[in-house]
């Protein structure tokens, strides 16, 4: 029996990545998205929105004690969790659509891990210098200068991580009030707990794990590989133009003699600026987050040596094959899968908008008593009892009850008197649920087993909505 002996470690040791600063249009796009995203995240809890007396004035608030979610003019209840389902579907389809159009563009520009890691890299360059200085500093070891720089870097990292956790808890309580309570040590323990948890995770993931999160922890690189196709735009090294790799002087000599020479001069700038340390010239890889920084670095070098830019660019697999065959590039952003994803987004979004526009501020639910199904009255009539739940999400408080589909029916609620107009009226406070026992009776037991509609209508507003629910009236002869 033959045995195979594996020598050496089973896993590759981590190679520390020292991304170099780069300038260009994709770097500017990333800075813009970073600034906007962080501004929204950190400042949104302090935006005010007037909802009237007795309601929170924070524009975006997850109100766990009262089981509400507020988003500007939208107020969602736990019973409306389907809106969150719709948002998850839209988010998933948007991610799929982005992948079908431009690969891992989400990873490269909008992923929270990318945004915070970019911010931490900026702090690192501020404290310790660019790539060359950081490499030399690590080689020299722990000098006084290195210690001072490291302390400065980690202090700023911790402050960013701390405020990241602090901003998160502000979405769950009134932000100005909670900030004051946190500063005076009067906030709930759970607030300090979550700030601590998010401080540690942000500091660890953005400051230390960095590219390891993208390569080993995140499932999206593996999922998107199964969703992409040959028409998706990806950061691509145009091998047909770049090979063979030679120096600038050697390339000039080869071209003068009519021999092939690639535009790639093997300067390694595309590798040096990569936040995950991959070589894009080896093709699309798991570690490539499609951020486009290697494009900026390569374009800068091409401009300096007098060669056309675009040696590394967003391109498709199809175009790589077409260039090798001497054909012009072709781009097809509108195709079956992009149309399908866009259609699903539009459909789900339209359904959600329609549901929001037409939803009622009152919810009604009725449950027929099962034991007994009916009660025979002394006067020969029959009575059915129901448990009715009224959920009031609006400003109205007074509701009149009625039934339809059962002529001559009379309504009774224990302890509730009729109004001046003879209608049975109940009071339900705003943002409250009330359970009532409703009796529906008719004078004769000889009525068919028929559906009955229980309805309520707001009486204290000029345009009160009528909300109804259907059940059954069960007579003795059934």
């Amino acid at each position: 029996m033959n045995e195979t002996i594996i020598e050496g470690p089973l896993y590759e040791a981590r190679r520390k990545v020292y991304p170099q600063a780069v300038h260009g249009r994709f770097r500017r796009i990333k800075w813009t998205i970073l600034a906007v995203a962080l501004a929204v995240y950190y400042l949104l809890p302090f935006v005010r929105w007037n909802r009237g007396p007795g309601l929170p004035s924070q524009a975006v608030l997850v109100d766990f004690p009262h089981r509400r979610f507020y988003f500007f003019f939208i107020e969602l209840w736990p019973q409306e969790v389907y809106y969150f389902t719709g948002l998850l579907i839209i988010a998933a389809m948007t991610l799929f659509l982005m992948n079908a159009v431009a690969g891992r563009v989400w990873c490269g520009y909008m992923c929270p891990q990318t945004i915070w890691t970019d911010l931490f890299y900026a702090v690192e360059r501020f404290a310790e210098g660019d790539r060359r200085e950081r490499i030399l500093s690590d080689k020299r070891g722990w000098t006084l200068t290195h210690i001072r720089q490291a302390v400065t870097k980690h202090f700023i990292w911790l402050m960013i991580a701390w405020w990241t956790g602090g901003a998160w808890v502000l979405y769950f309580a009134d932000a100005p009030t909670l900030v004051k309570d946190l500063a005076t040590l009067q906030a709930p323990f759970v607030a300090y707990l979550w700030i601590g948890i998010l401080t540690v995770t942000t500091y660890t993931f953005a400051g230390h794990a960095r590219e390891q999160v993208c390569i080993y922890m995140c499932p999206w690189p593996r999922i998107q590989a199964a969703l992409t196709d040959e028409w998706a735009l990806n950061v691509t090294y145009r091998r047909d133009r770049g090979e063979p790799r030679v120096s600038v002087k050697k390339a000039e000599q080869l071209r003068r003699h009519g021999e092939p020479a690639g535009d790639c001069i093997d300067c390694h700038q595309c590798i040096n600026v990569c936040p995950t340390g991959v070589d894009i010239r080896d093709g699309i890889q798991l570690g490539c987050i499609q951020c486009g920084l290697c494009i900026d670095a390569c374009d800068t070098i091409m401009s300096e040596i007098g060669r056309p830019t675009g040696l590394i660019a967003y391109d498709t697999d199809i175009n790589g094959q077409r260039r090798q065959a001497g054909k012009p590039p072709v781009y097809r952003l509108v195709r079956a899968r992009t149309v399908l994803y866009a259609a699903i987004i539009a459909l789900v979004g339209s359904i959600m908008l329609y549901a929001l526009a037409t939803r009622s501020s009152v919810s009604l639910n009725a449950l027929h008593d099962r034991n007994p199904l009916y009660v025979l009255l002394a006067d020969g009539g029959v009575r059915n009892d129901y448990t009715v739940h009224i959920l009031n999400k609006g400003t109205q408080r007074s509701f009149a009850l009625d039934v339809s589909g059962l002529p001559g029916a009379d309504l009774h609620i224990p302890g509730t008197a009729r109004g001046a107009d003879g209608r049975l009226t109940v009071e339900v406070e705003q943002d409250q649920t009330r359970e009532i026992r409703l009796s529906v009776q008719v004078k004769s037991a000889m009525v068919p087993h028929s559906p009955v509609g229980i309805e309520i209508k707001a009486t204290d507003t000029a345009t009160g909505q009528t909300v109804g629910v259907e059940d059954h009236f069960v007579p003795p002869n059934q």
Side-chain angles (χ1 to χ4, degrees):
M1 182 176 178
N2 296 328
E3 294 184 357
T4 302
I5 300 176
I6 300 176
E7 296 182 356
L10 292 175
Y11 301 97
E12 180 184 5
R14 181 183 180 186
R15 174 174 53 88
K16 187 173 182 179
V17 179
Y18 298 87
Q20 181 175 306
V22 63
H23 304 282
R25 56 175 175 167
F26 292 105
R27 179 65 269 183
R28 289 192 295 272
I29 292 172
K30 285 173 65 64
W31 282 133
T32 301
I33 294 175
L34 182 149
V36 172
L38 292 181
V40 170
Y41 175 76
Y42 289 125
L43 301 179
L44 188 57
F46 298 96
V47 177
R48 302 290 96 184
W49 188 268
N50 184 16
R51 297 186 178 88
L55 293 174
S57 60
Q58 188 162 311
V60 180
L61 177 65
V62 181
D63 189 356
F64 276 134
H66 298 94
R67 300 186 298 279
R68 305 286 189 280
F69 172 70
Y70 298 97
F71 185 81
F72 293 92
F73 62 91
I74 298 174
E75 177 183 350
L76 298 181
W77 287 56
Q79 296 87 346
E80 297 172 321
V81 68
Y82 48 83
Y83 286 111
F84 295 102
T85 303
L87 286 176
L88 289 175
I89 294 174
I90 291 176
M93 290 300 108
T94 302
L95 197 59
F96 295 167
L97 179 60
M98 293 168 65
N99 175 71
V101 172
R104 291 174 64 184
V105 65
W106 163 264
C107 300
Y109 297 88
M110 289 165 278
C111 174
Q113 173 66 19
T114 297
I115 288 175
W116 264 273
T117 300
D118 259 359
L119 179 61
F120 276 46
Y121 272 137
V123 171
E124 188 172 62
R125 294 189 191 99
F126 166 78
E128 298 182 346
D130 207 351
R131 170 184 167 84
R132 179 179 176 84
E133 288 79 7
R134 296 200 304 276
I135 293 176
L136 292 175
S137 182
D138 283 351
K139 287 182 178 179
R140 284 193 295 263
W142 289 103
T143 64
L144 288 177
T145 300
H146 192 186
I147 292 174
R148 176 180 56 80
Q149 293 173 341
V151 169
T152 301
K153 177 184 71 175
H154 287 281
F155 173 76
I156 299 176
W157 279 1
L158 284 170
M159 290 299 98
I160 295 172
W162 170 75
W163 186 239
T164 300
W168 176 257
V169 300
L170 298 182
Y171 286 93
F172 298 86
D174 183 67
T177 303
L178 184 56
V179 168
K180 179 181 177 182
D181 291 343
L182 289 169
T184 57
L185 302 180
Q186 296 178 351
F189 170 76
V190 68
Y192 295 105
L193 175 64
W194 277 105
I195 290 175
I197 292 173
L198 291 169
T199 298
V200 171
T201 53
T202 304
Y203 173 76
T204 301
F205 291 155
H208 297 279
R210 295 180 172 180
E211 77 283 352
Q212 303 294 298
V213 174
C214 305
I215 297 174
Y216 300 109
M217 297 175 62
C218 180
W220 178 237
R222 289 127 181 111
I223 297 173
Q224 70 90 29
L227 297 174
T228 193
D229 60 14
E230 67 274 15
W231 291 104
L233 291 167
N234 289 289
V235 175
T236 304
Y237 168 65
R238 290 169 171 167
R239 184 173 298 275
D240 55 293
R241 177 185 150 187
E243 302 296 328
R245 307 172 193 172
V246 292
S247 66
V248 177
K249 291 184 179 180
K250 183 65 174 178
E252 292 176 354
Q253 294 173 2
L254 291 173
R255 293 187 185 105
R256 280 198 299 265
H257 291 85
E259 298 181 19
D263 284 347
C264 180
I265 61 173
D266 208 20
C267 63
H268 284 203
Q269 284 301 299
C270 57
I271 306 173
N272 294 342
V273 302
C274 180
T276 58
V278 303
D279 188 345
I280 191 61
R281 298 173 299 177
D282 294 335
I284 298 178
Q285 303 156 65
L286 189 67
C288 179
I289 61 173
Q290 305 285 312
C291 63
L293 296 183
C294 55
I295 300 177
D296 287 338
C298 187
D299 284 351
T300 301
I301 297 299
M302 291 296 106
S303 298
E304 291 176 355
I305 65 175
R307 301 299 296 170
T309 59
L311 176 59
I312 302 175
Y314 276 97
D315 207 350
T316 67
D317 291 345
I318 290 289
N319 284 336
Q321 300 169 11
R322 291 178 65 86
R323 280 193 302 272
Q324 291 180 354
K327 298 178 181 180
V330 175
Y331 299 96
R332 189 180 296 172
L333 298 181
V334 180
R335 54 193 191 276
R337 73 171 62 206
T338 58
V339 171
L340 176 63
Y341 296 150
I344 294 175
I345 293 171
L347 176 62
V348 176
S350 299
I351 293 173
M352 291 179 61
L353 288 175
Y354 176 78
L356 279 172
T358 59
R359 70 174 182 166
S360 173
S361 60
V362 182
S363 177
L364 178 66
N365 183 40
L367 182 64
H368 194 291
D369 279 7
R370 299 302 179 189
N371 188 20
L373 284 174
Y374 59 87
V375 176
L376 287 174
L377 303 177
D379 59 1
V382 62
R383 187 187 79 213
N384 281 199
D385 295 322
Y386 303 84
T387 300
V388 178
H389 289 88
I390 302 175
L391 172 62
N392 181 17
K393 298 180 285 186
T395 57
Q396 64 272 18
R397 287 177 169 79
S398 180
F399 300 91
L401 279 83
D402 200 358
V403 294
S404 61
L406 195 63
D410 194 15
L411 305 182
H412 294 277
I413 298 176
T416 302
R418 297 183 182 274
D421 56 359
R423 294 190 298 177
L424 198 61
T425 304
V426 295
E427 299 290 327
V428 184
E429 294 296 323
Q430 182 179 2
D431 291 342
Q432 297 293 324
T433 300
R434 181 176 176 182
E435 177 182 301
I436 59 175
R437 293 281 297 168
L438 176 65
S439 297
V440 180
Q441 63 186 50
V442 293
K443 295 181 180 180
S444 173
M446 301 303 295
V447 294
H449 185 161
S450 60
V452 59
I454 300 174
E455 301 175 347
I456 59 171
K457 181 177 181 179
T459 61
D460 52 358
T461 58
T463 58
Q465 290 181 312
T466 299
V467 179
V469 63
E470 189 175 278
D471 208 299
H472 284 82
F473 187 87
V474 181
N477 56 352
Q478 298 296 317

